[in-house]
Every structure is written in structure tokens, then in C-alpha cells.
Amino acid sequence: MLELLQAALLAATALTSAVWIGMARRGYGEPDQPALFCALLAFSLAAGAGACAVARLASGLDTLEAERWLRQATLSLGLPLVGVVALTLGRKWIWSRPTWGRVVIGLCAFFELARQFGWSAPYALALGLISASLVIYAGLLQWPARLQASAGAAGGALMLAQQPWSGPAIGPNPFSAYEQLLLALACPLIAWLLLNLPGNLREGIREPA
């Protein structure tokens, strides 16, 4: 029952965040659209993972493989994209569509390389740490705007808590049974943060990199 509730909450909050980002895109200029689309993709992947888990747990549908694939895509592609989007908006950078395309392709390529060399676990941990750090950094850049700084710190902390911490020195991650809940709580915080960072064309026209 707890797993079902976590999955339902993840599906709801991630979908709400995706819709929120999608609706907000209308108020942004063309150079910002690729970054916001990447954020939309990230939340959509998380919502899909939650929805597949709900379908499996509540209705007994055979969605386990799809759930695993979407979960992996969320961790290896979605959350890193969120971190990069937070960085670019926090620093008021504008990247072109080809640049964002290279970011997506690069993340996919590095994931496959790590899998081929048997480095999936350390790669996933390193990627998660970097992604969470970028969200925290983007929020702290807005200080003394306390709401943005707090949202970044809280969202990044929730991302850190769900990382695959394990090993003889530190033991298993005590939050491993609540990964979906942590992600569900992080989604709206991060979505709000992204839409309240200064890097958008409402502050002036900037050229894409």
C-alpha cells in the first residue's frame, strides 16, 4: 500500500509539474524554449514512471519493464537535464537548440558507455550528485531571494537523499524505500524554482550560444 501511495503521489506531482512548465512556456521567448522543453521532458519521464507503477500495483498490469525503463531514464536523463536547466536559467545563459540536443545525446552516450564498462553504479551516483549540486547552486545564486534559495536547497537535498548511497563504509541508503516519495516531493519544488529563476527573456533579449 505504501508503495502504491508513493507511486500515485509521484505520478500526480510530476504530471502537475510538467503541465505547469508546459503552460508557463507560452510566456517565454524562443531562445528559452529548448531549456524549458528539457525540463518538461524530465517531469514527463518521472510522471510516466509513477503512472506505470500505479498501473502495476493497483490493476496488476504488466508494466514493470516500462516502469524500470522510465525510472532509469528519469535518473540518467531527466534529473541531469533539470540540473543543467537550473544552471542555465540561474546564470542567465541562453543555449541554442543544437547545444541542448548535444547535451541530451551526450547524456545518453555516457550512460551507454558506463553500462558497457560496468560503471553504471558509480556513474549513476556521480551524475546524481552533480545534478543535485546544480539545483542547489542555482538556488543559492539567487540569494538574498530566500524563497528561491530555499527551494533550490530543499529540491537538491531531496535529490541527494534518493541517490544510491551504499558500500561497506556507509551501509545502505536508509531512504531507499522512499525514493518515489522523495522524487514526488522534489518535482514541484524544482518546477517552481525553474520558473522563478532570472534567466528568461522578460529581462531582455540575449543571443543563444
Side-chain angles (χ1 to χ4, degrees):
M1 179 59 72
L2 178 60
E3 187 179 359
L4 176 59
L5 291 175
Q6 289 188 71
L9 184 61
L10 174 59
T13 61
L15 179 60
T16 300
S17 299
V19 172
W20 192 4
I21 293 287
M23 294 179 63
R25 288 179 66 196
R26 302 172 186 173
Y28 286 73
E30 172 60 27
D32 287 307
Q33 295 300 318
L36 294 174
F37 176 79
C38 287
L40 175 62
L41 173 62
F43 292 123
S44 298
L45 289 171
C52 287
V54 170
R56 175 176 60 85
L57 296 168
S59 303
L61 299 179
D62 186 14
T63 59
L64 183 58
E65 288 302 317
E67 178 187 341
R68 287 174 175 170
W69 187 90
L70 287 167
R71 173 65 175 167
Q72 188 63 57
T74 299
L75 296 177
S76 300
L77 179 62
L79 294 184
L81 282 177
V82 162
V84 177
V85 171
L87 174 66
T88 58
L89 293 179
R91 298 292 299 178
K92 303 182 184 180
W93 294 340
I94 290 292
W95 291 356
S96 65
R97 290 181 185 272
T99 299
W100 282 106
R102 287 190 285 270
V103 171
V104 173
I105 293 172
L107 287 170
C108 294
F110 279 114
F111 167 75
E112 182 60 23
L113 283 174
R115 190 182 68 85
Q116 292 290 340
F117 285 100
W119 299 338
S120 294
Y123 173 75
L125 179 58
L127 197 62
L129 292 176
I130 294 171
S131 303
S133 298
L134 289 177
V135 170
I136 295 172
Y137 174 68
L140 292 178
L141 279 176
Q142 312 316 309
W143 187 263
R146 294 184 180 181
L147 287 178
Q148 285 90 331
S150 298
L158 288 168
M159 290 173 64
L160 286 173
Q162 64 173 312
Q163 296 308 310
W165 303 100
S166 62
I170 59 177
N173 183 353
F175 302 109
S176 59
Y178 306 102
E179 288 182 6
Q180 290 183 318
L181 175 61
L182 295 170
L183 184 56
L185 296 175
C187 283
L189 284 172
I190 295 172
W192 183 89
L193 174 66
L194 296 180
L195 295 177
N196 286 274
L197 290 174
N200 60 70
L201 291 189
R202 285 172 291 186
E203 296 196 353
I205 301 298
R206 289 162 286 132
E207 294 296 327

